């Protein structure tokens, strides 16, 4: 949430900043802004709306400077407006900064600073940070420190953040110290790109692609002191952490739209490949099991686990629900799936041999990170199922499994979901083979998993049928999504996809639960999407479907190829390839992703930038 960029070097900073903001726009698009230091002053341009509007403003009113910072905002405190947009200034303009996170004690700090004479012009929590740094600077100068010295500025930032309660990723510039950029974090990600005689800053690695191959992730409480010819890392406790330089793995192809109109569609169509990536090198034919390189657990420890907690938010939580069914079925280990936002504050009894998996695409979700830390604090082994290499959760977990799905840029998560489900299937296979699952059963799973990329390819062929269905129903104001067993989480996920990008009210339920309340919503204008591929309880799902039909509710069925019977009952059928029940979420989620996409397109919604949302929810 909120994107940050920064640059110090010999070139005009604006080009990197604006390009970086375009790449980071998926983190927030309420407003955008840049500040550039030209050697004698700092100029600021900021604008409500998209980065393109900021770029237009900067064409009209160009700014110059070889160091600068930029920000794309997802509003927390203060409505989206030009005034509330970042960068913000502190004091009399001697400090300029951008911020990602939430300053929880901002009203106490604001009152204190007001009493000291600081004038607040915005409704943001960030302005508090700007004035606080300015105040610390003023105090230091009173004590005889030199305001033109970088060290004085660094100390001012460090003293300021010590007073902040909450989360922050901050990039700070000083009017009187040209060419100095200070970045510091707690709870909000920041990464520095190493150039030759120049440095790049960003809140995730995507702006750095094409500029550098070497990156350094900041850890909590670390401060980066950046000048064109030097980059020093220091800890707020006074120590000097070693620089851990990593290779940047992302490429520009990962972030290009290619032939697609939207990232969401591109990512939906990438799924045959991303599932193949999730499987690559992880199938052990000889032992009929799965293998993972990064679990950092010996087989004895894995074998001893007698309970698993999967924790996540949103779509990743839905993947966790599929994981629960998979692990309980194949490994017979009890699993609980916890909303990370609840788990972080609950204190559920957890026996010693409980293992925690945090499932997260971004690896930065604030609640998931907090839940992971809480479980770690209590001494449980914590593992991450994560897409973003080098993200905070990936680094803080004891071990983990990467999805290798490539950057997911569309705000609505698609390919990450199917990759998470694939990895959880592999995990169920591994844990199952360590317990009750037979060699032939393991072999069978492996060969079925190998077929999945092709099955997804076939499932994607339903797009034309989906378009017809979308055209018929896109004006509906309510939708129900119903499925049972492995397809119940898919129903939840289908409903989430639709509501987040088309703003249609939609709810997912286990199909049989409908009679206990939601059936009251059924009428001629409320379509019900039944996820009804062949399964053990197919006849029961058909009865649920009949119940909706009897109340004149339109029915869209997601069914297996060759199921002609369902076409007699449902108003519309979208077919997917027939696979074993435990693999069905991988194919049945495809038409639901496409349906949400196409309905949103027909309604004229911006699918990659849905209102009020942002990718990577780094605030609580
Ligand atoms: C929905 C969506 C969100 C995320 C959730 C968790 O399409 O994208 O619900 O799934 O914010 O994000 P990660 O997986 O990055 O922790």
């Amino acid at each position: 949430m909120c994107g940050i960029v920064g640059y110090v070097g010999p070139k005009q900073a604006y080009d990197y900043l604006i390009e970086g903001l375009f790449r980071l726009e998926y983190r927030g698009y309420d407003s955008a802004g840049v500040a550039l230091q030209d050697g004698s002053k700092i100029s600021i341009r900021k604008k409500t709306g998209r980065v393109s509007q900021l770029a237009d403003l900067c064409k009209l009113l160009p700014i110059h400077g070889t160091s600068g910072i930029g920000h794309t905002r997802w509003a927390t405190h203060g409505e989206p407006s030009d005034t509330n947009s970042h960068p913000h200034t502190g004091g009399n303009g001697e400090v300029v900064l951008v911020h990602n996170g939430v300053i929880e004690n901002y009203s106490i700090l604001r009152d204190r600073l007001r009493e000291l004479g600081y004038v607040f012009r915005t409704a943001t929590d960030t302005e508090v940070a700007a004035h606080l740094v300015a105040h610390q600077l003023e105090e230091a100068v009173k004590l005889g420190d030199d305001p033109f010295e970088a060290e004085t500025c660094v100390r001012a930032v460090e003293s300021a953040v010590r007073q902040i309660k909450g989360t922050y990723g901050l990039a700070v510039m000083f009017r009187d110290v040209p060419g100095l950029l200070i970045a510091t974090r707690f709870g909000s990600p920041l990464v520095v790109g190493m150039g030759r005689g120049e440095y790049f800053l960003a809140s995730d690695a995507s702006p750095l692609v094409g500029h550098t191959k070497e990156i350094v992730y900041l850890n909590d409480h670390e401060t980066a002191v950046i000048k064109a010819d030097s980059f020093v890392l220091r800890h707020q406790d006074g120590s000097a952490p070693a620089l851990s330089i990593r290779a940047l793995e992302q490429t520009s192809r990962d972030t290009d739209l290619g032939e697609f109109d939207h990232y969401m569609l591109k990512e939906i169509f990438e799924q045959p490949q991303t599932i193949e990536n999730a499987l690559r090198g992880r199938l052990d034919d000889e032992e009929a099991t799965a293998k993972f390189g990064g679990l950092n657990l010996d087989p004895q420890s894995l074998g001893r686990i007698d309970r698993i907690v999967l924790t996540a938010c949103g779509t990743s939580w839905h993947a966790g629900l599929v994981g629960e069914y998979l692990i309980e079925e194949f490994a017979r280990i009890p699993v609980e799936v916890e909303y990370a936002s609840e788990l972080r504050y609950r204190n559920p009894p957890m026996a010693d041999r409980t293992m925690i998996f945090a499932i997260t695409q971004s690896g930065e979700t604030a609640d998931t990170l907090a839940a992971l830390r809480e479980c770690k604090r209590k001494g449980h082994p914590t593992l991450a199922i994560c897409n973003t290499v080098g993200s905070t959760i990936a680094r803080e977990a004891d071990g983990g499994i990467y999805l290798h799905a490539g950057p997911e840029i569309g705000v609505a998560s698609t390919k990450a979901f199917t990759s998470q489900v694939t990895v959880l299937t592999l995990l169920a296979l591994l844990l199952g083979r360590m317990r009750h699952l037979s060699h032939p059963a393991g072999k069978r799973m492996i060969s079925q998993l190998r077929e999945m990329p092709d099955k997804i390819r076939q499932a994607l062929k339903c797009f034309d049928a989906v378009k017809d269905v979308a055209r018929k129903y896109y004006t509906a104001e309510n939708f129900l999504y119903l499925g049972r067993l492995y397809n119940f989480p898919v129903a939840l996920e289908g409903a989430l996809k639709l509501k987040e990008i088309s703003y249609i009210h939609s709810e997912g339920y286990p199909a049989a639960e409908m009679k206990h309340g939601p059936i009251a919503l059924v009428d001629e204008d409320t379509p019900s999407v039944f996820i009804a591929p062949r399964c053990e309880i197919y006849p029961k799902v058909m009865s649920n479907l009949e119940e909706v039909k009897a109340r004149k509710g339109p029915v869209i069925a997601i069914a297996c190829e060759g199921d002609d019977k369902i076409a007699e009952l449902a108003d519309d059928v979208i077919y997917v390839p027939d696979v074993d029940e435990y693999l069905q979420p991988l194919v049945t989620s495809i038409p639901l992703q496409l349906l949400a996409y196409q309905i949103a397109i027909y309604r004229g919604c911006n699918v990659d930038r849905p209102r009020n949302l942002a990718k990577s929810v780094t605030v609580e």
Side-chain angles (χ1 to χ4, degrees), residues 322-341:
V322 181
E324 175 183 11
Y325 287 25
L326 287 163
I327 296 169
E328 292 194 342
E329 175 170 348
F330 292 104
R332 318 289 313 146
I333 302 174
V335 177
E336 263 144 81
V337 188
E338 292 264 3
Y339 280 116
S341 52

Side-chain angles (χ1 to χ4, degrees), residues 313-316 360-362 365 411-413 496-497 500 615 617:
C313 302
T315 289
S316 299
T360 169
Q361 186 286 127
S362 61
T365 302
V411 167
S413 184
L496 177 65
K497 284 293 86 90
E500 66 182 333
K615 195 88 180 157
V617 184

Side-chain angles (χ1 to χ4, degrees), residues 165-180:
K165 288 204 172 71
T167 52
Y168 55 83
L170 286 169
V172 194
M173 291 200 306
F174 293 82
R175 186 191 56 206
D176 300 330
V177 190
L180 172 69

Side-chain angles (χ1 to χ4, degrees), residues 194-269:
M194 322 276 283
R196 296 224 161 85
E198 58 183 351
Y199 291 93
F200 308 87
L201 178 75
S203 44
D204 71 42
S206 51
L208 306 176
V209 174
H211 296 283
T212 177
K213 289 265 172 224
E214 292 181 333
I215 56 176
V216 174
Y217 289 101
L218 262 64
N219 292 311
D220 277 348
H221 301 295
E222 283 178 359
T223 302
V225 183
I226 308 167
K227 297 179 197 163
D229 57 357
S230 68
F231 163 39
V232 177
L233 205 56
R234 48 200 257 180
H235 195 279
Q236 285 162 15
D237 67 8
S239 62
L243 273 194
S244 163
I245 301 177
R246 293 162 182 255
L248 174 62
E249 285 173 11
Q250 244 170 273
T251 65
S252 58
R253 250 191 51 224
D254 294 332
T255 47
D256 285 348
L257 263 179
E259 70 201 75
F260 293 95
D261 291 337
H262 299 98
Y263 283 109
M264 181 180 179
L265 194 62
K266 177 188 179 224
E267 287 157 7
I268 292 173
F269 275 87

Side-chain angles (χ1 to χ4, degrees), residues 446-466:
I446 287 184
S447 82
Q448 289 176 332
L449 275 164
R450 278 215 174 89
E451 288 172 9
M452 287 321 291
D454 263 341
K455 298 284 183 191
I456 305 289
R457 233 166 255 128
Q458 287 171 41
L460 285 164
K461 291 192 180 142
C462 73
F463 195 22
D464 285 338
V466 167

